[in-house]
Amino acid sequence: MTGIVTTNWWTSLIYRVFVRTACLRAGRGLLPNIWEWLWRLSCNIIEGPVDITIHNRPAIVNFGYTYPIYMRCYPELNAPLVELAYQCWRSRGTAICIVDVGAAVGDTMLLLHSNLPEAVGSFVCIEGDQEFYYYLQHNLRHMTEGRLINAVVADQETEVSDLVRIHTGTASAQGERIRGASTLSAVVTEEVDLIKIDVDGFDGRVLLGAEDLLKRSRPLVIFEWHPILCRQTGNNWTDHFDVLARCGYSRCLWFTKFGHFSHFSFSHCREEIDSLAEYCMSDVVKDWHYDVIALHDDSDLSLLLLSQLGFAKARPSRY
């Protein structure tokens, strides 16, 4: 399904009010509770596409899509991705090819085109949720240098649980129905410089199915590591690091879910990974997870520069 998406002006207005007042969620007193109650009530009542500006680009999303709200609350949320793309482009000396697995409505490409328009030479966006894919087509319709794929990718060509909405802003492979899946190595034939994966607990299986691609192109990799969602989707939180080790990736930078640097790791110690998973699933911090950058052993990128996020923090387009 392609073409122009029809939106409703008043539901778009309500959604934009929630986005602009999202900082109230982090306040004190009754305001955060009131905001959250009104938000949940509205998401239960209102459906359909709305207009919003994402990273200085007009876009269409479903009412309840949380990305613009999170970016308002946590403006450095995607700093690791922006910094990685910048350092990759700077190292290559030419425009880069980016693969975005779990592309949702296209916010990653909007982010990179807004902050690094000269760095993106081509891209492949993969999204399995049909509604998100509809908005993805619309939002990136003017970017002719890439291709969009409506598919689920896993560790092999097999059948997996269908995608369902675990909340209004994301979809996860936790459905009762099943659907066919392919592998990243099968659907991406290009030489790739950077792979970004955010598929709500399925990231390890995506990497398992990307082994040939990782060995062939040795791209930079950034993925979400979310043990809670790994458990909910029936997947292993160590798969990510097992396949990376086999493909020559021994160095990782870990960032908190808010985009702040946490620590380095080397050689993928299983005990360390299990301990971090236990921490994520505890009640110490709600819904804790990390974004992880993995570098191939041949990569000449500086761990220190990546951890400092100097370029990304200076960029004006954070929303």
Side-chain angles (χ1 to χ4, degrees), residues 32-109:
N33 293 333
I34 295 173
W35 188 98
E36 193 69 33
W37 181 81
L38 290 172
W39 169 250
R40 293 183 182 277
L41 177 65
S42 299
C43 289
N44 288 331
I45 296 173
I46 302 174
E47 296 181 345
V50 292
D51 296 286
I52 192 67
T53 298
I54 299 179
H55 302 300
N56 299 323
R57 303 291 195 273
I60 304 295
V61 303
N62 62 296
F63 192 102
Y65 193 64
T66 51
Y67 178 83
I69 289 173
Y70 289 155
M71 289 302 297
R72 284 274 177 174
C73 295
Y74 314 109
E76 294 179 2
L77 182 70
N78 277 324
L81 173 61
V82 173
E83 189 69 32
L84 185 63
Y86 170 72
Q87 296 294 345
C88 179
W89 169 61
R90 182 180 174 188
S91 174
R92 300 288 194 271
T94 186
I96 61 177
C97 177
I98 299 172
V99 173
D100 181 9
V101 184
V105 304
D107 39 67
T108 290
M109 295 316 304

Side-chain angles (χ1 to χ4, degrees), residues 154-156 183-186 204-213 243:
D155 53 329
Q156 56 184 317
T183 67
L184 196 58
S185 293
R205 292 186 65 179
V206 172
L207 284 167
L208 286 171
E211 187 164 349
D212 291 343
L213 177 60
V243 65

Side-chain angles (χ1 to χ4, degrees), residues 131-171:
E131 184 183 6
F132 285 163
Y133 186 74
Y134 183 26
Y135 300 140
L136 174 70
Q137 289 178 300
H138 178 87
N139 294 336
L140 302 189
R141 67 193 184 282
H142 300 308
M143 300 181 187
T144 58
E145 66 272 29
R147 62 189 182 101
L148 313 180
I149 303 173
N150 183 206
V152 172
V153 288
D155 53 329
Q156 56 184 317
E157 293 190 3
T158 184
E159 291 184 332
V160 299
S161 296
D162 200 2
L163 300 180
V164 294
R165 297 291 174 84
I166 54 177
H167 59 72
T168 54
T170 189

